[in-house]
């Protein structure tokens, strides 16, 4: 076997340029496949881990996925609000361990402003870790604000800097009479929270005192100092994240909430809603994978064609090997092994390049999309994939190997 | 079968399926120990086919080929491959070295398909390398691309004797050599064969080689075609 290996290896070395190009093609096609899979897995993991803190998401009745995406990931358009009284009813339910209100709508320089209670920073977990402060702490005063790491970094904000919140996501109307003071900056979490600006619900209530139906009332101007915290009770919120005392009660609680009489409310199980979302996109995923497998197959077929062409030019080599004692099976094995070596080297190179790509791309993807690529080349999925690449290379390699075998039967001095 | 004969051929008949005019028929042919035979014949007449029959690369349609008293047709394919690598040395036309292997690995190629001790074979390769003016550094070169014709000749000779065969089959090894190189190659080959007590069967179309061999056979007249 060692001989067969050496002969195959040296034969490949002697054709280094064409072999290098073949390895490059196979590596790139493996990288294409791995990148798509890596991105898909990482995005899925990021989405699921970000939505894991609560057992249920409460919103007004609307599309489950749409509501979840908006409330947890701030993706999409606003849904209807639920009344503060309804939230308090739910929060005070004996089965509820904790409930965190969330109010969305305003923004600051394209970053979403999220109104919540200070419990958000104690209860919400991202990737199984509680949110931590890089600097400062959560809001103490009404007009205190906590900003995500990316917001601070991108906009070069420091503690105690003042910021003005705009009404709506791309509005030209600013709540400029109510400047917020940065009281805390969160540590990087690799999630959408890095791009959020957190304010208290009281603050949101305060800055909207002079607003009605989405418009600022003319000739009314409240002052920041004129508010008493106890008076600033929100009328509505976008939704809430609920944690129950017992996971067993999730489905019963969800059913009960759907029967809530005061207003139409829905409870979403985040994991289930995200699974539904993934089922919708899985069709596109499957097509992408099919294309990638096709690319790999074609590339390996190219490799087989290159070995095949080479077999036709190796009459002397095959004849010599046969005469010095190599069996036709040995010739067959050498040619199959050449294919395997090419595919194994390509896999190795693609793993190294993928690790390098991850180092280069991770900061960009994390910054832009909150997705942190975790490339585990030893995962069962990847190992199965690499084995299938080797298997395909063996299968397509059978064509030149059989050609070599037939040739060796008739070769000689 | 005569036990003195290294190679003995009886009533051999061979033809290719798709070539009606081509047929080799040998009633009786033998080579004895230390014998050196030259078979002369025109190109394309079947000299290489004849050598392939002797080393078992192809099987006769009828008759038997005995090498070292072993009837080749009684051996299984893998036994035949092993038998060939252990007992028959071959020198090719233009020497047929694999460029991508080192000269040493080219020499050792027949050893890789036998159970012989590779270290001993290496020592033997270096020993003969020294005898034939091929130093160890040259033998260990990473490839055999830049070797001179003379170096290739000597390496192909060492390769043919590395497994201590009883016979060397040489297929027109001098066809591309000039007069001087031809002479020096043959002298070297004869010396080695004498020294190692190896019989030599060479085929060629070169009539000038007649004087170098005591035993010369004309392919056309000896073998019925």
């Amino acid at each position: 076997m060692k001989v067969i290996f050496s002969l195959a290896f040296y034969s490949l070395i002697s054709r280094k340029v064409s072999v290098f190009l073949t390895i490059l093609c196979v590596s790139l096609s493996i990288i294409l496949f791995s990148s798509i899979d890596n991105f898909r897995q990482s995005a899925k993991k990021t989405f699921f881990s970000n939505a894991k803190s609560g057992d249920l998401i409460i919103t007004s009745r609307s599309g489950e996925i749409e509501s979840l995406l908006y409330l947890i990931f701030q993706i999409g358009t606003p849904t209807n609000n639920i009344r503060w009284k309804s939230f308090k009813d739910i929060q005070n339910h004996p089965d509820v361990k904790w409930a965190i209100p969330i109010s969305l709508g305003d923004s600051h320089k394209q970053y979403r402003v999220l109104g919540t209670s200070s419990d958000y920073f104690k209860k919400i977990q991202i990737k199984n870790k509680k949110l931590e402060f890089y600097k400062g702490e959560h809001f103490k005063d009404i007009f205190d604000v906590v900003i995500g790491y990316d917001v601070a970094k991108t906009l070069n904000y420091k503690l105690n800097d003042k910021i003005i919140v705009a009404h709506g996501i791309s509005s030209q109307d600013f709540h400029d009479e109510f400047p917020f003071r940065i009281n805390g900056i969160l540590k990087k979490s690799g999630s959408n929270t890095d791009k959020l600006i957190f304010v208290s619900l009281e603050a949101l209530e305060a800055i909207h005192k002079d607003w009605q139906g989405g418009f600022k009332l003319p000739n009314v101007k409240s002052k920041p100092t004129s508010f008493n915290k106890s008076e600033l009770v929100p009328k509505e919120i976008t939704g809430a994240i609920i944690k129950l005392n017992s996971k067993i009660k999730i489905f019963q609680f969800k059913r009960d909430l759907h029967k809530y009489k005061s207003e139409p409310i829905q409870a979403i199980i985040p994991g289930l809603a995200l699974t539904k979302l993934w089922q919708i996109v899985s069709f596109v995923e499957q097509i992408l994978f099919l294309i990638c497998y096709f690319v790999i197959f074609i590339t390996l077929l190219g490799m087989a064609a290159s070995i095949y062409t080479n077999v036709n030019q190796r009459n002397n080599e095959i004849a010599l090997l046969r005469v010095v004692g190599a069996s036709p099976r040995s010739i067959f094995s050498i040619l199959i092994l050449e294919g395997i070596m090419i595919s194994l080297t390509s896999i190795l190179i693609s793993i190294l390049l993928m690790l390098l790509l991850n180092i280069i791309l991770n900061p960009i993807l994390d910054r832009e999309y909150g997705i942190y690529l975790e490339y585990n080349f030893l995962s069962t999925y990847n190992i199965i994939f690499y084995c299938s690449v080797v298997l395909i290379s063996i299968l397509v390699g059978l064509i030149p190997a059989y050609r070599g075998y037939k040739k060796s039967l008739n070769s000689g001095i | 079968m005569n036990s003195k004969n290294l190679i003995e051929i009886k009533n051999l008949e061979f033809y290719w399926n798709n070539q009606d005019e081509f047929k080799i028929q040998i009633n009786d042919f033998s080579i004895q120990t230390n014998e050196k035979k030259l078979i002369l014949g025109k190109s394309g007449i079947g000299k290489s086919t004849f050598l392939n029959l002797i080393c078992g690369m192809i099987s006769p349609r009828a008759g038997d080929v005995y090498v070292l008293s072993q009837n080749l047709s009684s051996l299984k394919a893998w036994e035949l491959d092993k038998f060939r690598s252990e007992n028959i040395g071959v020198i090719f036309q233009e020497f047929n070295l694999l460029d991508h292997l080192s000269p040493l690995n080219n020499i050792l190629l027949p050893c890789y398909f036998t159970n012989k001790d590779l270290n001993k074979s290496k020592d033997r390769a270096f020993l003969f390398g020294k005898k034939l003016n091929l130093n160890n550094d040259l033998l260990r070169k990473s490839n055999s691309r830049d070797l001179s014709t003379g170096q290739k000749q000597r390496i192909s000779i060492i390769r043919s004797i590395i497994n201590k065969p009883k016979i060397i089959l040489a297929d027109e090894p001098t066809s591309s050599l000039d007069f001087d190189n031809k002479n020096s190659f043959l002298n070297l080959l004869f010396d080695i064969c004498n020294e190692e007590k190896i019989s030599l069967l060479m085929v060629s179309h070169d009539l000038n080689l007649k004087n170098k061999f005591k035993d010369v056979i004309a392919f056309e007249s000896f073998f019925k075609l």
Side-chain angles (χ1 to χ4, degrees):
Chain A
M1 193 60 203
K2 198 181 159 195
V3 182
I4 306 287
F5 179 87
S6 302
L7 289 171
F9 176 75
Y10 286 116
S11 171
L12 288 177
I13 294 288
S14 72
R15 291 175 275 133
K16 36 184 173 302
V17 177
S18 69
V19 170
F20 169 76
L21 290 174
T22 310
I23 287 175
L24 192 69
C25 289
V26 180
S27 301
L28 289 177
S29 61
I30 293 172
I31 286 173
L32 180 72
F33 185 95
S34 296
S35 303
I36 291 172
D37 179 58
N38 186 17
F39 185 78
R40 179 187 70 105
Q41 299 272 19
S42 302
K44 197 173 178 179
K45 203 172 169 185
T46 306
F47 265 68
F48 274 82
S49 68
N50 288 5
K52 255 168 76 177
S53 300
D55 294 327
L56 289 167
I57 306 293
I58 310 294
T59 62
S60 67
R61 221 165 274 174
S62 176
E64 280 199 354
I65 295 168
E66 186 191 4
S67 301
L68 177 85
L69 287 177
Y70 184 62
L71 203 76
I72 303 296
F73 303 102
Q74 296 78 49
I75 297 169
T77 49
T79 55
N80 289 328
N81 290 337
I82 58 171
R83 288 203 288 270
W84 180 250
K85 189 185 163 302
S86 306
F87 168 72
K88 291 307 277 184
D89 280 353
I90 295 163
Q91 192 180 32
N92 294 328
H93 192 282
D95 287 340
V96 174
K97 191 175 179 184
W98 51 256
I100 293 167
I102 287 173
S103 201
L104 290 157
D106 289 348
S107 64
H108 171 73
K109 295 185 178 174
Q110 302 300 314
Y111 288 103
R112 297 266 193 178
V113 170
L114 186 144
T116 187
S117 68
S118 54
D119 275 351
Y120 189 97
F121 307 106
K122 295 169 194 161
K123 306 290 187 191
I124 297 298
Q125 292 193 343
I126 304 291
K127 295 173 187 169
N128 296 324
K129 273 172 73 183
K130 277 188 180 171
L131 290 171
E132 288 179 86
F133 279 88
Y134 170 61
K135 279 177 185 168
E137 55 180 337
H138 62 78
F139 18 81
K140 294 282 185 204
D141 289 330
I142 297 175
F143 293 104
D144 278 353
V145 67
V146 170
I147 58 174
Y149 184 86
D150 290 348
V151 180
K153 200 175 172 192
T154 313
L155 300 176
N156 202 20
Y157 284 158
K158 301 180 291 296
L159 286 181
N160 298 317
D161 281 358
K162 297 275 170 123
I163 65 168
I164 300 291
V165 170
H167 188 77
I169 189 68
S170 55
S171 170
Q172 297 303 310
D173 298 321
F174 294 96
H175 298 288
D176 45 7
E177 65 275 35
F178 301 106
F180 283 83
R181 186 183 67 89
I182 296 171
N183 197 47
I185 299 170
L186 290 173
K187 265 190 188 171
K188 181 94 179 156
S189 67
S191 73
N192 54 312
T193 54
D194 297 333
K195 295 173 185 60
L196 284 175
I197 292 169
F198 298 89
V199 297
S200 67
L201 288 172
E202 291 85 1
L204 277 185
E205 189 58 27
I207 62 174
H208 291 99
K209 273 277 181 202
D210 304 339
W211 289 66
Q212 214 167 54
F215 295 99
K216 197 172 183 181
L217 297 170
N219 307 321
V220 183
K221 205 164 188 180
S222 305
K223 285 182 180 169
T225 47
S226 62
F227 296 115
N228 181 342
K229 208 171 180 179
S230 59
E231 292 168 4
L232 295 169
V233 178
K235 292 176 195 69
E236 289 181 332
I237 55 171
T238 314
I241 302 169
I242 307 286
K243 183 83 176 175
L244 299 179
N245 287 316
S246 164
K247 283 198 183 292
I248 302 166
K249 294 194 171 167
I250 291 175
F251 287 98
Q252 183 59 49
F253 197 82
K254 180 177 154 77
R255 274 196 297 274
D256 291 348
L257 273 181
H258 284 192
K259 291 175 198 158
Y260 189 74
K261 281 179 183 160
S262 302
E263 65 174 318
I265 282 178
Q266 69 174 352
I268 305 158
I269 301 171
L272 283 183
L274 280 176
T275 306
K276 273 185 198 168
L277 175 67
W278 243 262
Q279 278 168 352
I280 294 167
V281 295
S282 68
F283 175 68
V284 181
E285 249 179 52
Q286 280 165 8
I287 289 177
L288 268 178
F289 279 125
L290 206 65
I291 293 169
C292 286
Y293 258 114
F294 205 60
V295 169
I296 288 172
F297 178 74
I298 290 169
T299 316
L300 289 171
L301 208 58
M303 172 198 82
S306 132
I307 297 174
Y308 187 93
T309 313
N310 201 260
V311 168
N312 289 334
Q313 295 161 357
R314 287 160 75 178
N315 290 338
N316 286 350
E317 182 182 342
I318 290 172
L320 172 66
L321 290 173
R322 285 287 288 125
V323 168
V324 298
S327 65
R329 256 170 41 188
S330 303
I331 307 290
F332 182 87
S333 306
I334 288 169
L335 294 168
I336 282 282
L337 204 59
E338 284 183 13
I340 294 174
M341 280 177 174
I342 288 176
S343 61
L344 285 177
T345 313
S346 306
I347 289 169
L348 195 70
I349 288 174
S350 69
I351 289 173
L352 293 175
L353 285 176
M354 276 296 288
L355 291 171
L356 191 72
L357 265 178
N358 273 22
I359 292 169
I360 296 165
L361 287 181
N362 254 342
I364 300 164
L365 285 173
D366 193 17
R367 189 176 61 237
E368 297 297 324
Y369 306 105
I371 292 169
Y372 192 82
L373 297 179
E374 286 173 21
Y375 177 56
N376 177 12
F377 59 89
L378 287 174
S379 71
T380 316
Y381 186 87
N382 275 332
I383 288 170
I384 291 171
F385 167 62
Y386 296 140
C387 289
S388 67
V389 170
V390 176
L391 192 70
I392 296 171
S393 75
I394 293 172
L395 287 176
V396 296
L398 287 174
I399 306 164
Y402 182 69
R403 171 81 181 139
Y405 176 85
K406 290 289 282 180
K407 210 177 241 297
S408 70
L409 288 175
N410 301 318
S411 65
I413 299 168
Chain B
M1 140 122 222
N2 186 338
S3 60
K4 283 182 186 172
N5 292 336
L6 268 181
I7 294 174
E8 194 170 330
I9 296 174
K10 293 275 180 205
N11 306 320
L12 181 141
E13 212 177 281
F14 181 81
Y15 51 88
W16 296 108
N17 275 342
N18 49 356
Q19 292 177 26
D20 294 339
E21 318 86 64
F22 183 89
K23 190 175 180 184
I24 298 174
Q25 199 170 344
I26 305 167
N27 293 330
D28 191 14
F29 175 85
S30 64
I31 292 184
Q32 294 186 345
T33 310
N34 294 335
E35 211 175 349
K36 293 176 191 66
K37 258 187 185 149
L38 172 70
I39 297 177
L40 281 172
K42 289 184 286 189
S43 296
I45 204 161
K47 300 187 296 295
S48 298
T49 306
F50 172 62
L51 292 184
N52 278 321
L53 283 163
I54 291 175
C55 66
M57 294 300 296
I58 48 176
S59 305
R61 302 282 175 174
D64 295 303
V65 178
Y66 294 88
V67 178
L68 298 167
S69 307
Q70 176 68 59
N71 188 345
L72 296 187
S73 57
S74 69
L75 293 174
K76 288 176 189 162
W78 67 271
E79 289 172 326
L80 192 55
D81 291 332
K82 194 162 176 278
F83 181 83
R84 186 168 54 245
S85 71
E86 284 174 351
N87 299 299
I88 302 172
V90 176
I91 301 174
F92 286 80
Q93 227 175 65
E94 290 167 17
F95 314 115
N96 201 0
L97 299 187
L98 297 184
D99 283 349
H100 54 270
L101 296 184
S102 65
L104 181 63
N105 275 331
N106 263 297
I107 291 171
L108 294 174
L109 259 183
C111 313
Y112 292 136
F113 300 97
T114 63
N115 298 327
K116 287 188 177 169
D117 183 347
L118 201 61
N119 284 329
K120 280 186 184 166
S121 300
K122 264 186 199 170
D123 292 343
R124 189 169 155 84
F126 287 126
L127 180 77
F128 277 93
K130 205 173 176 184
K131 274 187 190 174
L132 302 186
N133 268 334
L134 298 167
N135 63 40
N136 292 2
D137 288 343
L138 185 129
L139 293 184
R140 285 202 173 102
K141 266 180 65 160
S142 62
N143 59 61
S144 303
R145 267 181 213 107
D146 306 321
L147 298 176
S148 68
T149 309
Q151 287 166 333
K152 283 181 181 173
Q153 283 172 13
R154 284 172 276 166
I155 286 166
S156 71
I157 291 174
I158 303 174
R159 180 173 66 193
S160 69
I161 56 150
I162 194 71
N163 273 345
K164 299 179 181 171
K166 300 290 180 295
I167 178 134
I168 291 176
L169 306 179
D171 184 23
E172 309 227 29
T174 56
S175 59
S176 61
L177 302 181
D178 58 31
F179 182 78
D180 290 339
N181 275 319
K182 206 178 286 182
N183 274 338
S184 66
F185 174 79
L186 286 175
N187 292 338
L188 202 60
L189 187 59
F190 288 160
D191 287 348
I192 293 270
C193 285
N194 292 335
E195 197 179 314
E196 295 287 306
K197 296 184 173 54
I198 300 172
S199 304
L200 174 69
L201 175 62
M202 186 184 286
V203 297
S204 179
H205 67 276
D206 186 354
L207 296 173
N208 294 326
L209 297 179
K210 257 195 324 193
N211 304 329
K212 290 278 178 185
F213 287 81
K214 284 180 191 159
D215 201 350
V216 179
I217 297 169
F219 196 86
E220 291 93 331
S221 59
F222 191 79
F223 306 128
K224 280 188 196 170
L225 300 173

